[in-house]
Amino acid sequence: MWITRSISRCRNAAIVRRGTTLGRSTLNLRRAMHSRLKTKTKKHLGQHLLVNANMLQSIANAVKNCILAQNTATLEVGDSEAGQSTRQPPRILEIGPGSGNLTETLLQLVRDGVARSLTAVEVDSVMIDALRQRFNDELQSRALIIQQQDVLQFLEDANVASKDYSVIVGNLPYNISSPILFRLMNDNQSRIRWGAAVFMFQKEFADRLTVS
């Protein structure tokens, strides 16, 4: 049995936990995905591909709610309705998109006008190739931007094209969950400005995080 939890950090600092168990049909989908990519997930990169449709939609809904909450808060601090209507939608940053299952769900937010664009940071060249094949149209329209780079280097890269993201989202590898959180929470360790984060952690890490 494999269980994952998501933790959503919005302006009210609420923590949302959601668990799922992979059934036979989901496992079959995962095997088919591996066959199509002609590779297995790389253990040393901590790769786990999200394939449960309900979980994927729940994550996208959490991202959307964080964006809407930020928009509401902006209005409350004095922005006019007219000023809000002329502001471009915010950007989303996805850490470790893998084969693009969550990416596909998040791109619907871009199509719906909730977000301006989605930037996906991935270090694995095989996954990068799969993403480029799967999202060729979105790459051409700049709805999706793929950055091939180690995420820890990306967060510290002063040359990153866009440094402002409304929401950061990702299914984080266990071995770098702590370093990613540390950099994001420490302004001196990250060049990225962000408003909210929706992360999936390995259960053991999530348990330790919520206890502390």
Side-chain angles (χ1 to χ4, degrees):
M1 180 169 57
W2 180 77
I3 299 176
T4 184
R5 290 187 180 181
S6 68
I7 293 182
S8 173
R9 173 186 178 273
C10 296
R11 295 187 67 89
N12 61 1
I15 294 179
V16 178
R17 300 186 188 87
R18 189 176 299 275
T20 184
T21 302
L22 295 185
R24 183 179 300 276
S25 60
T26 304
L27 289 173
N28 289 338
L29 178 58
R30 173 179 283 184
R31 294 190 187 102
M33 185 182 303
H34 289 175
S35 176
R36 185 165 66 250
L37 289 173
K38 297 182 179 180
T39 186
K40 293 183 178 179
T41 52
K42 296 178 174 64
K43 195 170 184 179
H44 71 280
L45 293 178
Q47 292 175 337
H48 290 283
L49 304 182
L50 292 173
V51 295
N52 184 288
N54 291 330
M55 173 61 73
L56 292 168
Q57 191 58 55
S58 294
I59 296 166
N61 289 342
V63 171
K64 180 178 179 179
N65 289 338
C66 284
I67 292 174
L68 295 178
Q70 291 175 50
N71 291 343
T72 300
T74 301
L75 285 173
E76 289 176 350
V77 296
D79 276 5
S80 67
E81 295 273 351
Q84 181 69 13
S85 65
T86 59
R87 183 181 294 111
Q88 289 188 333
R91 299 181 181 91
I92 301 172
L93 173 65
E94 182 184 5
I95 296 175
S99 60
N101 294 335
L102 179 57
T103 307
E104 176 64 52
T105 311
L106 294 172
L107 279 170
Q108 189 59 47
L109 299 180
V110 179
R111 300 183 189 107
D112 293 343
V114 177
R116 184 192 327 177
S117 63
L118 171 65
T119 298
V121 182
E122 175 61 60
V123 70
D124 186 348
S125 59
V126 174
M127 294 297 184
I128 289 285
D129 290 342
L131 290 168
R132 287 173 176 162
Q133 292 177 26
R134 183 172 181 176
F135 300 112
N136 180 64
D137 291 344
E138 289 80 0
L139 288 168
Q140 293 295 327
S141 67
R142 301 292 288 176
L144 174 64
I145 301 165
I146 297 176
Q147 181 79 19
Q148 184 171 5
Q149 192 173 5
D150 178 274
V151 65
L152 297 179
Q153 296 176 1
F154 176 85
L155 294 176
E156 298 175 355
D157 190 347
N159 297 317
V160 172
S162 174
K163 302 178 182 178
D164 295 291
Y165 298 94
S166 178
V167 183
I168 304 177
V169 58
N171 181 28
L172 301 188
Y174 179 80
N175 57 330
I176 60 170
S177 293
S178 291
I180 289 174
L181 286 181
F182 177 79
R183 281 166 174 75
L184 288 174
M185 300 302 292
N186 189 332
D187 291 338
N188 295 325
Q189 294 289 325
S190 175
R191 303 279 184 168
I192 301 297
R193 292 186 292 270
W194 55 284
V198 181
F199 290 139
M200 283 58 65
F201 299 109
Q202 186 170 323
K203 180 179 182 298
E204 290 77 8
F205 183 87
D207 286 341
R208 297 205 320 267
L209 185 65
T210 53
V211 168
S212 60

